[in-house]
């Protein structure tokens, strides 16, 4: 549920690249708008690869989407137990638990009860009161989510999980893999998070525009992908209050949204990691975020609610 | 729609997305600098609703609905409305749908009727212009558009967001009667559903859950659970079950438009699981309406219900349905009780089955969704003046056909009456009220029945319904002639024109009997061809029905492409020399009426023994050539012009009577002048 990145185009076209056939597909899924731009000399191969990519997304949705009433995790949230989770889901859950352990709980997929109380209050145009938030916070805790190949189970009642903070990143990785296997050399993948293969239609490195979280239709700068994946989270989407103080990213320890950051962009070798780490850095806050990014060996751009920003040195970043 | 056609319909900078997985809906995206967002959902109406159009075949519309419920675009992909096919042409239709652009599904869109328009700006109602002569067609279009859009809106724009509040009934706050639990059950205000053990077991048969419940297997005929459901916010329910304080408290808790529903269960299955959190979505049961899920949430109402002693210990829950969910109290509540069975201890396998319960609130307790023009009801009230005039006109006709002396004994008066009535038929029924019955009505029935669609669409055209109802009755009494001779506007037009040509001194040409007999069969061939084509091809039927000049002459006043006008004018001209030639020889509707006229129960045209042998007076006078040499009336061809009946009653026209009179008179006085004997057409019409 985050965007903030757009497609950057450069006006040079090389002859080699010109022979490639480019296709764009745009569709909805995982609660967002997804798009894939890919190229191949053979249109048939290209179309097939794109269809395969769509199927990959559909399978991930069936497992991990909260937007589909019949998805596996909706079933888990309903019944508290899910037997023999599918391999994809198991992988994402296990990776999630690893991030939780390594980030000392800053990343936590069991924050869903918090989302529920905020969403419920929002339906009546209000914020939940402190008692409700405290009660929901007590139901959050990655240690009380038991994950193994046989079953996934909540150890205490009332728990719930969301993979909205990691499934899009995982989807980008899987689509990239699928396209590569299908013989696609050049592609830009947007599943809410971004991943790429090869070069753009202008035979240049893929580059993304990063939106200014405080100004509609304005760019903060440009980011070159250089084969890496980029994930971003911002307070602007799914805000529970007008001032964006309360939004869809929760600090699992307080039950409220982190207070000082407006957006976090992470570039990493895996989109799943990049996606999860945006939450970790969000919770860490403006001061500590880049230090933490370095420890995780990723690059990041963090924007403070005041509009100040800073980027780590390794980020291929050009401010506007 | 193929992707190519969608791209054509929504060109760049819009981006046509990939068709959705769950619904036949295409997302249309717009790109701006930093993001791609959904501009609209585009879909074809035929994938969601099939309301037959006036020809019996539904419209297919391409609708683009933006995420706020506004129409971004509405186009007609296909239609078979006779009036827009080479009739008014498609332009008025296209102009009509243009009006939807930027209107919102949340508004109550009404089709203005001219009189009711104006001065309504800024209200929740939006008026759009209808199309004259196509009122029924555009209403069916409107209905199609809204029904399809509501379905997409509910699925894609979040629950109920796009639901038009006008389409939802309201609970009447004023209906209240003191009732106890049993009276409520009897009144249908509390719905009871009893599930037997064996029914539950049957549902699990063949699954892993089969035979797992020993209690159920032991006593198959025992009751598994008694389920009760009720609209608690209906005063007659809530005030009778809750204390006054709790009723007031409930009112406070509910926002306008919210519903509180009571669900009670007596039996073993749990309405809520052990770890159910109060105030959340219940896990033991769900609610649907019109196959769409409705979100319910525990209202956490703490109260003592006034129920009989045996129900005191029952488990119950009051759930809230918020107003935007669009629960319609006038529609049934479809609750589902979920029963889960678990097989195995270590790695349990869960099997879930659902059992329906609930019911519909009696109609006295709800105000139906009214005042909207989305259904046909309002069109009847809107046109009550026309309908009243028509009813009066039909009453006059019934009186005239019952052979009143006042008319039958006065040939000149009868002639004037008949001419006056034909002017009424042509001008009022035909041109003004657009009540020309047509073969299209018959082919539409065939097409709708074959496609398994309802015939409701006729109700959008009250004139047609009323006329058909009357005509069907006349089949039994008088036969086909009542319609063909009196109520068909095109027939009236032909007759009036041929009267004019006669006044100009031109005479009619009588077709030789042999040819007349042959030609009269042609119309049955035309009818058969049309009915076959209606079964086979919608497109061919659209073309073939053009044999009928009614649309050109009556619906469109001859303002139409020239080949159609030429055809209609030619038919009128031909019939001014060959009296009512179209009706007698070609008209497929007339043929249909002739067949249905076989239902006639009476030979109601009086005859004498002298008729036919030797007297040929009426036969010679019958412009329809519907009396044979033996003097027998061929009712299949009789248009009930009453000429022969007037002759029959007249001492000066009916030869046997003249002769009889002469004989009688001879006995007394020798007349100076003998009345003219022989064919006289002065009084024919």
């Amino acid at each position: 549920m985050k965007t903030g990145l757009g497609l950057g185009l450069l006006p040079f076209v090389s002859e080699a690249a010109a022979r490639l056939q480019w296709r764009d597909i745009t569709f909805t899924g995982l609660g967002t708008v997804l798009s894939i731009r890919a190229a191949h000399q053979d249109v048939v191969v290209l179309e097939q690869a794109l269809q395969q990519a769509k199927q990959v997304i559909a399978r991930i949705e069936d497992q991990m989407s909260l937007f589909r009433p019949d998805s596996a995790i909706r079933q888990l949230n309903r019944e508290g137990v899910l037997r023999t989770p599918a391999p994809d889901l198991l992988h994402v859950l296990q990776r999630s638990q690893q991030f939780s352990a390594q980030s000392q709980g800053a990343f936590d997929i069991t924050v869903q009860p918090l989302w529920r109380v905020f969403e419920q209050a929002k339906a009546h145009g209000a914020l939940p009161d402190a008692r409700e938030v405290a009660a929901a916070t007590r139901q959050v805790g990655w240690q009380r989510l038991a994950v193994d190949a046989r079953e996934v189970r909540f150890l205490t009642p009332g728990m719930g999980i969301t993979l909205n903070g990691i499934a899009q990143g995982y989807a980008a990785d899987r689509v990239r893999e699928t396209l590569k296997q299908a013989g696609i050399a050049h592609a830009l993948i947007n599943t809410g998070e971004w991943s790429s293969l090869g070069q753009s239609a202008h035979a240049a490195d893929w580059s993304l525009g990063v939106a200014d979280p405080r100004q509609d239709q304005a760019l903060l700068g440009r980011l070159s992908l250089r084969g890496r994946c980029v994930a971003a989270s911002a307070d602007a989407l799914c805000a529970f209050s007008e001032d964006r103080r309360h939004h869809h990213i929760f600090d699992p320890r307080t039950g409220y949204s982190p207070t000082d950051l407006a957006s976090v962009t992470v570039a990493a070798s895996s989109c799943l990691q990049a996606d999860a780490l945006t939450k970790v850095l969000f919770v860490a806050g403006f001061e500590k975020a880049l230090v933490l990014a370095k420890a995780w060996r990723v690059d990041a751009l963090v924007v403070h609610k005041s509009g100040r920003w800073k980027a780590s040195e390794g980020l291929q970043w050009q401010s506007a | 729609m193929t992707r190519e056609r969608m791209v054509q319909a929504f060109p760049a900078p819009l981006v046509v997305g990939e068709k959705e997985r769950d619904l036949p809906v295409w997302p249309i995206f717009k790109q701006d600098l930093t993001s791609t967002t959904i501009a609209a959902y585009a879909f074809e109406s035929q994938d969601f609703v099939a309301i037959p159009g006036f020809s019996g075949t539904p419209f297919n519309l391409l609708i683009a609905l933006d995420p706020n419920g506004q129409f971004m675009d509405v186009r007609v992909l296909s239609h078979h409305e006779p009036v827009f096919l080479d009739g008014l042409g498609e332009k008025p239709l296209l102009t009509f749908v243009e009006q939807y652009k930027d209107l919102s599904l949340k508004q109550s869109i009404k089709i203005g009727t001219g009189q009711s328009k104006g001065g309504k700006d800024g209200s929740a109602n939006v008026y759009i212009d209808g199309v004259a002569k196509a009122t029924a067609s555009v209403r069916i279009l409107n209905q199609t558009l809204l029904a399809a859009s509501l379905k997409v809106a509910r699925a894609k724009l979040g629950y109920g967001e796009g639901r038009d509040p006008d389409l939802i009934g309201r609970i009447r706050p004023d209906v209240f009667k003191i009732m106890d639990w049993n009276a409520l059950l009897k009144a249908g205000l509390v719905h009871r559903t009893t599930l037997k053990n064996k029914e539950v077991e049957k549902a699990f048969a063949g699954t892993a859950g089969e035979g797992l419940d020993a209690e159920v297997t032991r006593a198959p005929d025992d009751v598994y659970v008694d389920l009760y459901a009720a609209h608690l916010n209906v005063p007659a329910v809530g005030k009778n079950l809750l204390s006054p304080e709790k009723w007031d408290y409930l009112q406070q808790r509910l926002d306008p438009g919210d519903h509180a529903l009571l669900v009670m269960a007596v039996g073993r299955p749990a309405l809520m699981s052990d770890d159910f959190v109060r105030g959340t979505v219940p896990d033991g049961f769900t609610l649907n309406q019109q196959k769409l899920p409705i979100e319910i949430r525990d209202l956490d109402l703490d109260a003592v219900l006034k129920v009989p002693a045996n129900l005191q210990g029952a488990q119950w829950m009051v759930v809230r349905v918020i107003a935007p969910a669009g629960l319609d109290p006038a529609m049934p509540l479809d609750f589902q009780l979920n029963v889960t069975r678990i097989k195995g201890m270590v790695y349990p396998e869960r099997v879930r089955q659902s059992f329906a319960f609930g019911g519909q609130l009696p109609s006295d307790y709800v105000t139906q969704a009214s005042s909207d023009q989305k259904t046909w009801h309002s069109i009847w009230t809107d046109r009550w003046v026309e309908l009243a005039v028509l009813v009066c006109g039909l009453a006059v006709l019934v009186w005239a056909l019952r052979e009143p002396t006042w008319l039958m004994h006065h040939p000149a008066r009868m002639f004037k009456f008949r001419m006056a009535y034909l002017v009424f038929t042509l001008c009022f029924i035909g041109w003004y009220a657009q009540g020309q019955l047509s073969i299209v009505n018959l082919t539409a029935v065939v097409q709708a029945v074959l496609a398994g669609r309802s015939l409701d669409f006729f109700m959008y055209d009250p004139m047609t319904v009323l006329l058909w109802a009357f005509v069907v009755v006349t089949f039994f009494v008088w036969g086909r002639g009542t319609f063909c001779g009196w109520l068909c506007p095109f027939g009236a037009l032909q007759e009036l024109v041929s009267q004019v040509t006669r006044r100009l001194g031109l005479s009619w040409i009588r077709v030789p009997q042999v040819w007349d007999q042959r030609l009269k069969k042609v119309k049955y061939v035309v009818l058969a061809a049309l009915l076959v084509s209606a079964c086979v091809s919608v497109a061919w039927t659209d073309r073939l029905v053009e044999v009928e000049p009614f649309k050109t002459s009556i619906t469109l006043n001859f303002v139409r492409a020239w080949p159609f006008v030429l055809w209609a004018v030619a038919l009128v001209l031909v019939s001014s020399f060959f009296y009512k030639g179209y009706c007698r020889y070609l008209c497929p509707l007339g043929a249909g009426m002739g067949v249905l006229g076989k239902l006639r129960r009476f030979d109601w045209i009086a005859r004498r023994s002298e008729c036919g042998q030797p007297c040929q007076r009426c036969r010679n006078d019958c412009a329809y050539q519907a009396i044979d040499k033996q003097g027998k009336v061929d009712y299949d061809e009789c248009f009930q012009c009453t000429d022969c009946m007037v002759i029959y009653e007249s001492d000066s026209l009916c030869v046997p009577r003249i002769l009889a009179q002469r004989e009688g008179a001879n006995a007394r006085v020798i007349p100076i002048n003998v009345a003219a004997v022989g064919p006289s057409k002065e009084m024919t019409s």
Side-chain angles (χ1 to χ4, degrees), chain A residues 120 124, chain B residues 171 228-234 237-238 241-242 247 249-251 253-255 257-265 271-272 276-288 294-303 305 315-323 325 327 333-337 357-358:
Chain A
Q120 210 177 318
H124 303 281
Chain B
I171 285 175
Y228 300 90
H231 282 86
L232 197 62
N233 55 320
V234 169
V237 179
L241 292 181
L242 298 170
W247 169 254
Y249 172 71
L250 179 69
Q251 296 302 305
R253 292 278 307 271
L254 297 177
D255 288 331
D258 284 6
H259 291 275
L261 307 172
L262 171 71
V263 172
M264 186 183 272
L271 279 184
M272 43 208 133
F276 175 71
V277 183
R278 296 310 304 229
T280 62
V281 178
D283 41 9
F285 57 97
T286 52
L287 174 64
N288 284 279
I294 301 242
E295 193 184 65
I296 50 177
R297 211 168 258 283
D298 177 24
L299 199 59
D300 201 3
L301 190 72
D302 183 22
L305 296 181
Q315 29 170 355
W316 57 270
M317 188 195 287
V318 176
V319 292
R320 178 210 298 268
V321 177
I322 57 172
L327 181 82
L333 295 173
D334 301 325
F335 278 108
Q336 300 274 334
L337 176 77
F357 65 104

Side-chain angles (χ1 to χ4, degrees), chain A residues 3-7 24-28 33-34 51 54 57-59 61-62 68 78-79 81 83 120 123-124 139 150-151 153 157-158 190 210-212 217-219, chain B residues 3 15-22 27 29 31-38 41 156 159 255 258 275 277 279-280 283 297 320 322 340 343 346-350 352:
Chain A
T3 124
L5 298 177
L7 202 50
D24 274 312
I25 61 169
T26 311
F27 52 108
T28 59
V33 176
L34 299 85
Q51 287 311 312
K54 266 180 69 183
I57 300 281
R59 279 204 300 276
E61 274 202 291
D62 289 341
R68 298 186 69 83
R78 223 169 22 233
E79 297 179 356
V81 61
R83 286 197 44 214
Q120 210 177 318
H124 303 281
Q139 290 174 322
R150 285 172 320 206
E151 66 170 28
R153 181 182 284 279
N190 163 23
V210 178
D212 186 332
Q217 305 298 317
L219 286 184
Chain B
R3 155 158 285 283
V15 176
V16 177
E18 303 289 300
K19 206 169 187 172
E20 298 270 315
R21 286 173 69 194
D22 321 287
F29 301 100
Q31 280 177 311
D32 53 34
L33 187 61
T34 54
S35 59
T36 303
T37 50
I38 294 179
Y41 294 98
K156 291 269 117 186
Y159 55 91
D255 288 331
D258 284 6
D275 51 3
V277 183
T280 62
D283 41 9
R297 211 168 258 283
R320 178 210 298 268
I322 57 172
T340 306
K343 187 177 188 177
V346 189
Y347 302 119
E349 183 171 351
R350 289 163 169 261
R352 194 165 77 174

Side-chain angles (χ1 to χ4, degrees), chain B residues 137-383:
Chain B
S137 290
V138 296
R139 272 162 203 266
I140 293 169
L141 184 150
N142 190 50
Q143 176 77 11
T144 304
L145 175 80
L146 295 177
S149 304
L150 282 170
K151 283 193 180 172
V152 173
R154 294 196 77 177
K156 291 269 117 186
L157 311 185
Y159 55 91
E161 263 291 326
R163 182 97 189 233
D164 186 334
D166 245 27
L167 281 177
I168 300 175
R170 302 256 172 248
I171 285 175
R172 290 177 60 179
D174 53 327
V175 190
F176 176 72
K177 220 168 33 183
I178 293 181
M179 282 186 266
D180 65 3
W181 179 259
N182 288 324
L184 288 171
L185 269 173
K186 212 169 166 188
L189 287 164
V190 174
H191 315 288
R192 176 181 175 171
T193 309
T194 303
L195 261 181
K196 290 240 175 88
N197 279 338
K198 58 182 174 193
E199 296 168 63
V200 177
E201 191 54 39
K202 201 175 156 200
F204 281 100
T207 70
E210 184 171 2
L212 287 183
D213 192 330
E215 181 74 31
V216 164
T217 327
R218 190 182 54 77
D221 285 315
D222 281 7
V223 170
Y224 179 70
V225 66
D226 256 326
L227 294 160
Y228 300 90
H231 282 86
L232 197 62
N233 55 320
V234 169
V237 179
K239 282 189 180 175
N240 280 318
L241 292 181
L242 298 170
S243 65
E245 300 80 52
K246 282 291 173 194
W247 169 254
D248 291 341
Y249 172 71
L250 179 69
Q251 296 302 305
Q252 278 170 30
R253 292 278 307 271
L254 297 177
D255 288 331
D258 284 6
H259 291 275
L261 307 172
L262 171 71
V263 172
M264 186 183 272
V266 187
R268 292 192 299 125
L271 279 184
M272 43 208 133
S273 55
D274 296 337
D275 51 3
F276 175 71
V277 183
R278 296 310 304 229
T280 62
V281 178
D283 41 9
F285 57 97
T286 52
L287 174 64
N288 284 279
Q289 209 171 37
Q290 292 165 291
K291 293 185 184 132
L292 291 166
I294 301 242
E295 193 184 65
I296 50 177
R297 211 168 258 283
D298 177 24
L299 199 59
D300 201 3
L301 190 72
D302 183 22
V304 178
L305 296 181
K306 293 184 214 161
V307 291
N310 62 327
L311 292 175
Q312 292 290 356
Q315 29 170 355
W316 57 270
M317 188 195 287
V318 176
V319 292
R320 178 210 298 268
V321 177
I322 57 172
L327 181 82
D328 187 345
M331 305 288 291
L333 295 173
D334 301 325
F335 278 108
Q336 300 274 334
L337 176 77
N338 300 323
V339 178
T340 306
R341 286 186 177 180
I342 303 169
K343 187 177 188 177
M345 296 294 280
V346 189
Y347 302 119
E349 183 171 351
R350 289 163 169 261
V351 184
R352 194 165 77 174
Q353 294 294 346
S354 301
F355 301 91
F357 65 104
Q360 188 165 2
L361 200 59
S363 56
D364 327 352
Y365 295 88
V366 265
T367 316
Q368 297 287 337
S370 62
S371 80
D372 62 287
Q373 302 189 344
K374 282 144 201 154
T375 54
W376 48 263
H377 303 276
S378 63
I379 205 165
W380 285 70
T381 45
D382 281 358
R383 295 185 68 181

Side-chain angles (χ1 to χ4, degrees), chain B residues 97-108:
Chain B
V97 297
E98 276 283 306
Q99 300 179 93
Y100 285 100
K101 218 173 247 182
D102 300 330
L103 295 186
S104 170
L105 196 51
K106 293 172 195 165
Q107 293 168 306
S108 168

Side-chain angles (χ1 to χ4, degrees), chain B residues 263-525:
Chain B
V263 172
M264 186 183 272
V266 187
R268 292 192 299 125
L271 279 184
M272 43 208 133
S273 55
D274 296 337
D275 51 3
F276 175 71
V277 183
R278 296 310 304 229
T280 62
V281 178
D283 41 9
F285 57 97
T286 52
L287 174 64
N288 284 279
Q289 209 171 37
Q290 292 165 291
K291 293 185 184 132
L292 291 166
I294 301 242
E295 193 184 65
I296 50 177
R297 211 168 258 283
D298 177 24
L299 199 59
D300 201 3
L301 190 72
D302 183 22
V304 178
L305 296 181
K306 293 184 214 161
V307 291
N310 62 327
L311 292 175
Q312 292 290 356
Q315 29 170 355
W316 57 270
M317 188 195 287
V318 176
V319 292
R320 178 210 298 268
V321 177
I322 57 172
L327 181 82
D328 187 345
M331 305 288 291
L333 295 173
D334 301 325
F335 278 108
Q336 300 274 334
L337 176 77
N338 300 323
V339 178
T340 306
R341 286 186 177 180
I342 303 169
K343 187 177 188 177
M345 296 294 280
V346 189
Y347 302 119
E349 183 171 351
R350 289 163 169 261
V351 184
R352 194 165 77 174
Q353 294 294 346
S354 301
F355 301 91
F357 65 104
Q360 188 165 2
L361 200 59
S363 56
D364 327 352
Y365 295 88
V366 265
T367 316
Q368 297 287 337
S370 62
S371 80
D372 62 287
Q373 302 189 344
K374 282 144 201 154
T375 54
W376 48 263
H377 303 276
S378 63
I379 205 165
W380 285 70
T381 45
D382 281 358
R383 295 185 68 181
W384 74 271
V385 178
E386 287 163 43
L387 294 172
V389 172
L390 178 65
V391 168
C392 295
L394 295 178
V396 169
L397 181 59
V398 169
W399 166 76
L401 289 178
R402 295 198 53 202
E403 306 170 53
T405 321
W406 189 78
L407 285 176
M408 293 298 159
H409 289 187
H410 301 88
R413 191 183 284 164
M414 182 67 210
F415 177 72
K416 281 183 190 146
F417 171 80
R418 192 169 150 74
M419 286 307 120
Y421 202 91
L422 293 178
V423 169
F424 165 78
T425 297
L426 177 62
C427 298
F428 175 76
I429 298 183
W431 281 329
Y432 180 76
Q434 292 293 320
Q436 167 82 61
L437 299 190
S438 158
I439 189 66
V440 173
N441 304 140
L442 295 181
T443 54
V445 169
V446 172
Q447 287 172 352
V449 167
L450 283 180
R453 299 190 204 100
S454 104
L455 295 176
D456 276 1
F457 62 92
F458 273 117
M459 301 306 278
Y460 286 90
D461 190 355
M463 282 308 258
T464 301
V465 172
L466 211 55
L467 274 165
W468 269 109
F470 178 79
V471 168
V472 166
V473 174
T474 66
F475 287 148
F476 291 91
V477 186
W478 293 301
R480 61 87 63 111
T482 313
F483 172 76
C484 293
W486 293 89
L487 294 171
C488 176
F490 185 74
L493 175 68
Q494 287 179 78
E495 180 138 0
L496 293 169
V497 169
S498 44
Q499 290 302 330
V500 172
T501 51
R502 275 190 57 124
R503 288 285 157 93
L504 296 175
L506 300 166
S507 60
W508 298 340
I509 301 163
R510 205 173 165 92
V511 179
Q513 198 193 339
V514 187
W515 280 101
D516 178 66
Q517 291 301 321
R518 287 177 191 161
L519 287 171
K520 275 176 176 165
K521 295 196 178 88
V522 172
K523 60 177 178 283
Y524 293 102
V525 176

Side-chain angles (χ1 to χ4, degrees), chain B residues 52-59 79-86 93 136-138 140 542 551:
Chain B
F54 208 66
S55 64
T57 305
F59 278 96
H79 73 92
H80 295 275
E81 296 310 284
V83 70
F84 291 123
L85 286 167
D86 295 311
L93 180 62
S137 290
V138 296
I140 293 169
D542 287 346
K551 188 162 84 182

Side-chain angles (χ1 to χ4, degrees), chain A residues 90-133:
Chain A
L90 183 64
H91 173 73
V92 171
L93 289 172
Q94 285 172 336
R95 291 285 284 138
S96 299
Q97 295 292 74
Q98 285 167 12
F99 283 119
S100 298
Q102 280 181 275
S103 68
Q104 293 171 312
F107 178 81
D108 193 332
I109 57 172
T110 67
V111 293
Q112 186 64 5
L114 284 167
W115 195 84
R116 281 188 206 141
V117 293
F118 275 92
E119 181 67 12
Q120 210 177 318
K122 190 188 177 185
H124 303 281
L127 286 166
D129 63 36
R131 273 182 309 123
E132 286 176 288
V133 175

